[in-house]
PDB file of all heavy atoms in Angstrom:
ATOM      1  N   CYS A 101      -8.966   5.260  14.143  1.00 98.00           N
ATOM      2  CA  CYS A 101      -9.911   4.713  13.204  1.00 98.00           C
ATOM      3  C   CYS A 101     -11.019   5.689  13.055  1.00 98.00           C
ATOM      4  O   CYS A 101     -11.371   6.169  11.986  1.00 98.00           O
ATOM      5  CB  CYS A 101     -10.391   3.346  13.667  1.00 98.00           C
ATOM      6  SG  CYS A 101     -11.600   2.627  12.559  1.00 98.00           S
ATOM      7  N   ALA A 102     -11.647   6.029  14.194  1.00 98.00           N
ATOM      8  CA  ALA A 102     -12.795   6.990  14.196  1.00 98.00           C
ATOM      9  C   ALA A 102     -12.552   8.182  15.020  1.00 98.00           C
ATOM     10  O   ALA A 102     -11.849   8.074  16.079  1.00 98.00           O
ATOM     11  CB  ALA A 102     -14.037   6.210  14.680  1.00 98.00           C
ATOM     12  N   ARG A 125      -5.581  11.208   9.898  1.00 98.00           N
ATOM     13  CA  ARG A 125      -6.737  10.352   9.460  1.00 98.00           C
ATOM     14  C   ARG A 125      -7.754  10.259  10.570  1.00 98.00           C
ATOM     15  O   ARG A 125      -7.383  10.297  11.777  1.00 98.00           O
ATOM     16  CB  ARG A 125      -6.325   9.013   8.946  1.00 98.00           C
ATOM     17  CG  ARG A 125      -5.735   8.126  10.001  1.00 98.00           C
ATOM     18  CD  ARG A 125      -6.131   6.610   9.766  1.00 98.00           C
ATOM     19  NE  ARG A 125      -7.522   6.421  10.080  1.00 98.00           N
ATOM     20  CZ  ARG A 125      -8.242   5.520   9.523  1.00 98.00           C
ATOM     21  NH1 ARG A 125      -7.807   4.750   8.573  1.00 98.00           N
ATOM     22  NH2 ARG A 125      -9.556   5.348   9.861  1.00 98.00           N
ATOM     23  N   LYS A 130     -18.597   6.003   9.462  1.00 96.00           N
ATOM     24  CA  LYS A 130     -17.954   4.671   9.482  1.00 96.00           C
ATOM     25  C   LYS A 130     -18.782   3.557   8.922  1.00 96.00           C
ATOM     26  O   LYS A 130     -19.941   3.329   9.358  1.00 96.00           O
ATOM     27  CB  LYS A 130     -17.684   4.319  11.039  1.00 96.00           C
ATOM     28  CG  LYS A 130     -16.755   5.206  11.754  1.00 96.00           C
ATOM     29  CD  LYS A 130     -15.372   5.228  11.152  1.00 96.00           C
ATOM     30  CE  LYS A 130     -14.658   3.954  11.026  1.00 96.00           C
ATOM     31  NZ  LYS A 130     -13.336   4.111  10.233  1.00 96.00           N
ATOM     32  N   ARG A 246      -6.547 -10.333  10.179  1.00 97.00           N
ATOM     33  CA  ARG A 246      -7.878  -9.846   9.732  1.00 97.00           C
ATOM     34  C   ARG A 246      -7.978  -9.858   8.258  1.00 97.00           C
ATOM     35  O   ARG A 246      -9.002 -10.193   7.657  1.00 97.00           O
ATOM     36  CB  ARG A 246      -8.006  -8.373  10.273  1.00 97.00           C
ATOM     37  CG  ARG A 246      -9.349  -7.754   9.921  1.00 97.00           C
ATOM     38  CD  ARG A 246      -9.489  -6.346  10.497  1.00 97.00           C
ATOM     39  NE  ARG A 246     -10.697  -5.713  10.181  1.00 97.00           N
ATOM     40  CZ  ARG A 246     -11.045  -4.459  10.411  1.00 97.00           C
ATOM     41  NH1 ARG A 246     -10.171  -3.700  11.095  1.00 97.00           N
ATOM     42  NH2 ARG A 246     -12.243  -4.027  10.122  1.00 97.00           N
ATOM     43  N   HIS A 271      -5.252  -2.106   8.940  1.00 98.00           N
ATOM     44  CA  HIS A 271      -6.409  -2.939   8.363  1.00 98.00           C
ATOM     45  C   HIS A 271      -5.709  -4.178   7.663  1.00 98.00           C
ATOM     46  O   HIS A 271      -6.390  -5.271   7.678  1.00 98.00           O
ATOM     47  CB  HIS A 271      -7.272  -2.216   7.402  1.00 98.00           C
ATOM     48  CG  HIS A 271      -8.063  -1.124   8.141  1.00 98.00           C
ATOM     49  ND1 HIS A 271      -7.564   0.100   8.310  1.00 98.00           N
ATOM     50  CD2 HIS A 271      -9.282  -1.151   8.786  1.00 98.00           C
ATOM     51  CE1 HIS A 271      -8.424   0.831   9.014  1.00 98.00           C
ATOM     52  NE2 HIS A 271      -9.484   0.053   9.300  1.00 98.00           N
ATOM     53  N   GLU A 297      -3.254   3.435  12.073  1.00 98.00           N
ATOM     54  CA  GLU A 297      -4.212   3.840  13.164  1.00 98.00           C
ATOM     55  C   GLU A 297      -3.456   3.889  14.526  1.00 98.00           C
ATOM     56  O   GLU A 297      -2.739   2.979  14.867  1.00 98.00           O
ATOM     57  CB  GLU A 297      -5.378   2.780  13.200  1.00 98.00           C
ATOM     58  CG  GLU A 297      -6.271   2.984  11.964  1.00 98.00           C
ATOM     59  CD  GLU A 297      -7.535   2.123  11.950  1.00 98.00           C
ATOM     60  OE1 GLU A 297      -7.618   1.115  12.706  1.00 98.00           O
ATOM     61  OE2 GLU A 297      -8.418   2.503  11.208  1.00 98.00           O
ATOM     62  N   SER A 307     -13.675   1.866  17.658  1.00 96.00           N
ATOM     63  CA  SER A 307     -13.529   0.886  16.624  1.00 96.00           C
ATOM     64  C   SER A 307     -12.059   0.572  16.416  1.00 96.00           C
ATOM     65  O   SER A 307     -11.190   1.442  16.594  1.00 96.00           O
ATOM     66  CB  SER A 307     -14.165   1.372  15.296  1.00 96.00           C
ATOM     67  OG  SER A 307     -13.620   2.634  14.969  1.00 96.00           O
ATOM     68  N   ASP A 308     -11.744  -0.646  15.977  1.00 97.00           N
ATOM     69  CA  ASP A 308     -10.414  -1.087  15.574  1.00 97.00           C
ATOM     70  C   ASP A 308      -9.335  -0.875  16.628  1.00 97.00           C
ATOM     71  O   ASP A 308      -8.110  -0.692  16.202  1.00 97.00           O
ATOM     72  CB  ASP A 308      -9.981  -0.371  14.262  1.00 97.00           C
ATOM     73  CG  ASP A 308     -10.798  -0.957  13.007  1.00 97.00           C
ATOM     74  OD1 ASP A 308     -11.447  -2.009  13.236  1.00 97.00           O
ATOM     75  OD2 ASP A 308     -10.715  -0.366  11.943  1.00 97.00           O
ATOM     76  N   GLN A 311      -6.063  -3.157  16.389  1.00 98.00           N
ATOM     77  CA  GLN A 311      -4.994  -2.905  15.437  1.00 98.00           C
ATOM     78  C   GLN A 311      -4.388  -1.516  15.591  1.00 98.00           C
ATOM     79  O   GLN A 311      -3.499  -1.110  14.758  1.00 98.00           O
ATOM     80  CB  GLN A 311      -5.526  -3.045  13.995  1.00 98.00           C
ATOM     81  CG  GLN A 311      -6.624  -2.029  13.657  1.00 98.00           C
ATOM     82  CD  GLN A 311      -7.389  -2.391  12.397  1.00 98.00           C
ATOM     83  OE1 GLN A 311      -7.648  -3.501  12.118  1.00 98.00           O
ATOM     84  NE2 GLN A 311      -7.757  -1.353  11.623  1.00 98.00           N
TER      85      GLN A 311
HETATM   86 MN1  LIG B 402     -10.361   1.347  10.994  1.00 52.66          MN
END
Side-chain angles (χ1 to χ4, degrees):
C101 178
R125 62 145 292 148
K130 295 302 302 173
R246 182 180 180 185
H271 294 86
E297 288 186 340
S307 56
D308 287 351
Q311 65 193 35

